[in-house]
């Protein structure tokens, strides 16, 4: 029986990932997919936080509140793209039996959440 991705008879997306190397252990592939989905959940939480900051109309400094909301919304929009790139890089590395690449998402999320937290803190202090 032909193995999907190795014979060319079954097309898998993205081809740039599945056309290289050998099929890794399915447990590692599924772990990579779970990590991707965790980043998607994180993005949804950031989007919800950004919307909530503005919709709830909290008694905070308006400009800083809007800035914090925008940081959360922009981060929530960018994280799925970065998560997709990270998933592809990791899957490709596993298929080629190379060391896993460093994640850019951790640094990005740390900076974004810290910036939003500082803006909200200032918004509370300056109201």
């Amino acid at each position: 029986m032909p193995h999907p991705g190795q014979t060319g008879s079954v097309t898998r997306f993205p081809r740039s990932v599945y056309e290289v190397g050998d099929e890794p252990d399915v447990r590692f592939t599924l772990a990579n997919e779970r990590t991707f989905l965790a980043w998607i959940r994180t993005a949804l939480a950031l989007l919800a936080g950004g919307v909530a900051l503005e919709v709830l109309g909290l008694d905070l400094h308006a400009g800083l509140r809007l800035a914090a909301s925008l940081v959360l919304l922009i981060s929530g929009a960018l994280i799925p793209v970065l998560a997709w790139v990270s998933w592809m890089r990791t899957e490709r590395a596993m298929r080629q039996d190379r060391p896993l690449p460093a994640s850019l998402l951790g640094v990005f999320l740390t900076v974004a959440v810290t910036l939003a937290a500082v803006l909200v803190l200032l918004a509370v202090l300056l109201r």
Side-chain angles (χ1 to χ4, degrees):
M1 179 168 183
H3 194 273
Q6 290 184 339
T7 63
S9 62
V10 177
T11 302
R12 294 166 70 188
F13 180 79
R15 293 178 69 176
S16 64
V17 170
Y18 291 114
E19 285 186 348
V20 298
D22 298 316
E23 195 70 29
D25 186 327
V26 68
R27 293 172 294 177
F28 300 137
T29 297
L30 292 174
N32 190 27
E33 186 173 314
R34 283 192 300 274
T35 302
F36 171 75
L37 294 173
W39 284 116
I40 297 301
R41 286 191 299 273
T42 301
L44 290 171
L46 290 172
L47 291 170
V51 169
L53 262 179
E54 276 306 301
V55 171
L56 293 178
L58 302 173
D59 183 25
L60 302 174
H61 185 279
L64 293 170
R65 185 184 68 211
L66 176 61
S69 177
L70 289 174
V71 167
L72 293 173
L73 291 171
I74 291 169
S75 300
L78 290 177
I79 282 179
V81 175
L82 294 174
W84 176 255
V85 171
S86 180
W87 174 86
M88 287 194 315
R89 293 173 59 210
T90 300
E91 191 70 22
R92 197 175 297 127
M94 289 190 305
R95 295 182 68 84
Q96 295 175 333
D97 200 25
R98 291 184 291 122
L100 297 181
S103 174
L104 300 174
L105 285 158
V107 173
F108 175 79
L109 188 60
T110 299
V111 170
V113 171
T114 300
L115 180 59
V118 168
L119 289 169
V120 170
L121 179 63
L122 290 174
V124 170
L125 294 175
L126 299 175
R127 65 180 171 170

